[in-house]
Amino acid sequence: EAGLPTGLPPAGSAAGRERQIFPLLRTAALLFAAGGDEEQLYRVSLDTALMATGVSAACVVQYDHDAGRFLCPPTVATGLSDAFLGAFTCRDGGLAAEAFTGPRYVLSNDATSTPTTG
């Protein structure tokens, strides 16, 4: 991309999408800090993430640091069925907890089948 400093990832890469989303999330945080509605902050953050990544469904789940657990059901969601959201849980010590509180990155894949080569 012309005009970008050297060393920045291309906009189409995952790191490039992160580079695009951070200023928008910062703006949402500033709006919230200035007296915005908490749900509005989550909605702006969620919509921004969807726009930047191109995915069609996501949700925001809050984490209670004092209790050490996620607060379900999700605070805001888009593109997910009521049945999915009603059954949504984050069990103690599960993948979400490990990803959020653990010391390492967590590799996860939601693919339902293994691709074949032909």
Side-chain angles (χ1 to χ4, degrees), residues 22-118:
F22 284 125
L24 297 170
L25 291 175
R26 182 176 181 274
T27 301
L30 291 173
L31 289 171
F32 176 68
D37 179 295
E38 187 172 318
E39 187 173 332
Q40 183 181 14
L41 166 68
Y42 295 133
R43 176 63 56 198
V44 169
S45 299
L46 182 64
D47 290 346
T48 300
L50 291 172
M51 178 182 61
T53 61
V55 299
S56 59
C59 63
V60 174
V61 178
Q62 296 183 57
Y63 184 79
D64 182 336
H65 288 280
D66 294 334
R69 63 182 180 85
F70 289 93
L71 305 176
C72 291
T75 304
V76 295
T78 189
L80 301 169
S81 72
D82 290 340
F84 177 86
L85 293 171
F88 190 95
T89 62
C90 294
R91 68 178 173 80
D92 293 339
L95 181 62
E98 179 65 23
F100 193 74
T101 62
R104 301 176 304 274
Y105 292 107
V106 173
L107 178 61
S108 175
N109 184 346
D110 64 357
T112 56
S113 65
T114 305
T116 58
T117 58

